[in-house]
Amino acid sequence: MRRSLLAAAVVLTALMLQAVVVNRLPVPGYGPDLPVLVVVAFALGAGPSYGALLGFITGVAADVLPPADHTLGRLALAYAVAGYIAGLVEDVEERSVLTTVAVVAVGSGVAVILYAGVGGLVADHRVTASAVAHSLVSTVIYDVVLAPFVVPLIALAARRAEPAA
Amino acid sequence: MRDNRRARLILAMLLLTAFTLITLDYRSGGGGPLRSIGNAVFGPVERAANAVAHPIGSFFSSLGHLSSYKSENDRLKAQNQRLLQQLHLTNADKAHLAAADKLLNLAGRAQFRIVAARVVANGSSLGFESTATIDVGSQDGIKRNQTVIDGDGLVGKTLSVGPTTSTILLGNDPDFTAGARLEGSGQHVGHVDGGGRNPMTFTLLGTQATMKVGDQLVTYASIGDRPFVPEVPIGHIVRVQPTPGQLFSSGIVAPYVDFGSIDIVGVVVGTPRTVKRDSLLPPSPTPSPSAGSPSPSASSSPSGSPSPTGSP
């Protein structure tokens, strides 16, 4: 329960930071995608069910958060699958930093591909081959760079919130 | 891998729900009740978040502009008081004043009635979208499909309007398209299209018309001025693309607005009956030997016409 409250607070913060700060930073490419990073970080500590559910809720919030302008449910689907996949790695003994980074890379990449894939189904002509390639490279690289800082921090906070689960 | 079956069941149900949402929203053409709720709930939160986080963001985005704003400092100080009253700027820094000053100048010349606004959030959706939230909404008289400008020219149009915030589609979004007219010409019209990562393009309709590098583009009025009011500067042609065997010619456009750093914008809510042609365009960008003088009228008479007051 306390972990869920923590997750809700962190997700809301990530969504706000993304819209208000990150998307306006003059960085090359598109910058990181904080919500998927947060979903993956919580999923790594709480398993696939939790990861999928948190990903879905985060995605729905991101879908309706202004100024989003795409078909409702696309990010929900993308983040849910990313959270599920990350959650599958929960039980790996002695998870190394490298594994964590790899999971973040896969989660971010899967999110982009699913978001773009569903975009193709609903005839979103923002989805072009070059846009997908750029988004994939940019999102994965930035999220991987942030992962060693964000994931341990969230893991620590989650353990504090719900000790000895 | 414990409780794997349960997790898979949950995932399957979530995916089903997501596809249901997608189908419903797609069939309703977007703008369903959930998005309205999102506008009403998250809009104010974004405004508040922006009030806290904006100094950080504006610090970074203004790094590149520091030198140019410093020189304008003196002139801007004089207008400080008036602008503060008009725009309710509580934390106005030099960059904001410069932007606000230019916006009022452009709107004043055009006699547009505008509602001034600040950008509080930007949309990206994994990099595919270029949208923004502004801090005015239906309570301020904003409606869907209105022109959004800043001091440099066309920013975009309003997409959806909440009570106190609105979403705008920026000119560099791949979904963006607007009717445009070449400067000076009578009927040389076409459309500009945002390109996402690629540059903005202009497609000139009609086989007789030609464009050349440096030609400036302004908006061509939409029916009832929605979504676009006439004569707003868009950009200038930087390259004409060869289109062999095509009826329409097209060119690459350098927009006047830097979509990456928009901050203070105005939503056009009223227009005069006519706007004088080409009256809002900045000095022509065509390269001239005289080192970039900002005033076109001063440098536009190279001929040695005798001036009666010139001799000492």
Side-chain angles (χ1 to χ4, degrees):
Chain A
M1 182 62 206
R2 282 175 64 188
R3 183 170 59 195
S4 297
L5 284 177
L6 174 76
V10 174
V11 161
L12 190 63
T13 309
L15 288 169
M16 282 302 146
L17 274 179
Q18 183 76 36
V20 173
V21 178
V22 173
N23 288 346
R24 309 173 71 179
L25 287 179
V27 293
Y30 304 121
D33 190 61
L34 298 182
V36 78
L37 190 57
V38 167
V39 166
V40 166
F42 274 104
L44 277 169
S49 311
Y50 195 89
L53 207 58
L54 182 66
F56 182 83
I57 295 167
T58 305
V60 169
D63 279 326
V64 299
L65 185 89
D69 177 43
H70 56 253
T71 316
L72 186 67
R74 282 171 67 183
L75 283 173
L77 186 143
Y79 289 169
V81 175
Y84 175 82
I85 291 174
L88 289 178
V89 193
E90 181 206 7
D91 289 344
V92 173
E93 288 298 317
E94 295 278 317
R95 201 171 53 230
S96 69
V97 178
L98 213 63
T99 317
T100 305
V101 165
V103 173
V104 168
V106 170
S108 306
V110 162
V112 171
I113 289 168
L114 285 176
Y115 176 80
V118 177
L121 290 180
V122 296
D124 179 354
H125 57 258
R126 287 172 175 133
V127 177
T128 60
S130 84
V132 174
H134 277 107
S135 170
L136 203 55
V137 169
S138 169
T139 308
V140 169
I141 288 179
Y142 277 107
D143 280 356
V144 159
V145 167
L146 288 183
F149 307 99
V150 174
V151 175
L153 208 67
I154 287 179
L156 186 75
R159 271 201 303 277
R160 284 266 175 88
E162 207 139 298
Chain B
M1 305 274 171
R2 65 187 159 75
D3 70 353
N4 217 347
R5 277 181 55 181
R6 185 169 148 263
R8 260 180 284 168
L9 189 67
I10 288 177
L11 180 69
M13 285 173 62
L14 290 176
L15 293 188
L16 203 65
T17 315
F19 270 116
T20 311
L21 282 176
I22 291 167
T23 311
L24 288 176
D25 194 43
Y26 182 60
R27 288 175 68 100
S28 74
L34 263 172
R35 193 169 301 290
S36 305
I37 293 170
N39 261 331
V41 172
F42 285 123
V45 183
E46 273 181 356
R47 286 179 63 146
N50 179 63
V52 178
H54 188 263
I56 310 163
S58 74
F59 169 72
F60 282 108
S61 60
S62 64
L63 278 184
H65 306 290
L66 278 180
S67 57
S68 64
Y69 288 132
K70 244 181 188 127
S71 63
E72 291 188 75
N73 191 5
D74 291 339
R75 187 170 60 81
L76 294 170
K77 268 183 183 157
Q79 288 165 327
N80 196 341
Q81 207 51 46
R82 182 170 58 87
L83 289 167
L84 278 173
Q85 286 167 357
Q86 290 188 9
L87 286 163
H88 310 289
L89 294 180
T90 51
N91 191 19
D93 57 31
K94 294 168 209 157
H96 292 148
L97 283 178
D101 182 35
K102 281 168 78 174
L103 173 64
L104 288 177
N105 185 6
L106 182 73
R109 272 187 291 155
Q111 294 185 301
F112 289 152
R113 274 198 301 124
I114 61 165
V115 175
R118 289 178 73 169
V119 174
V120 296
N122 276 58
S124 169
S125 295
L126 298 165
F128 289 95
E129 291 167 17
S130 185
T131 52
T133 308
I134 55 175
D135 64 352
V136 292
S138 54
Q139 290 175 3
D140 307 281
I142 310 297
K143 298 186 179 70
R144 272 179 61 104
N145 277 332
Q146 286 180 326
T147 314
V148 183
I149 62 173
D150 76 1
D152 294 315
L154 183 68
V155 168
K157 63 170 183 177
T158 55
L159 272 183
S160 63
V161 180
T164 58
T165 56
S166 313
T167 298
I168 58 176
L169 184 72
L170 302 182
N172 62 343
D173 188 283
D175 253 7
F176 182 88
T177 185
R181 179 177 69 77
L182 279 176
E183 62 168 318
S185 66
Q187 293 301 322
H188 290 179
V189 296
H191 54 91
V192 291
D193 298 281
R197 283 198 58 85
N198 302 316
M200 187 183 254
T201 57
F202 171 63
T203 306
L204 179 59
L205 305 175
T207 48
Q208 304 294 311
T210 56
M211 66 178 117
K212 60 181 190 302
V213 171
D215 280 355
Q216 303 189 81
L217 292 162
V218 296
T219 51
Y220 195 66
S222 314
I223 295 169
D225 287 344
R226 302 266 293 272
F228 297 108
V229 298
E231 295 299 328
V232 179
I234 300 171
H236 60 88
I237 306 282
V238 288
R239 199 168 77 239
V240 180
Q241 289 184 313
T243 47
Q246 297 251 324
L247 279 174
F248 308 133
S249 54
S250 76
I252 304 292
V253 179
Y256 291 132
V257 172
D258 177 5
F259 296 107
S261 67
I262 51 161
D263 185 14
I264 291 180
V265 298
V267 183
V268 181
V269 294
T271 50
R273 289 181 59 166
T274 56
V275 184
K276 195 167 161 249
R277 271 176 181 258
D278 301 336
S279 61
L280 306 179
L281 283 169
S284 178
T286 40
S288 67
S290 59
S293 127
S295 126
S297 53
S299 61
S300 64
S301 55
S303 62
S305 56
S307 90
T309 56
S311 55

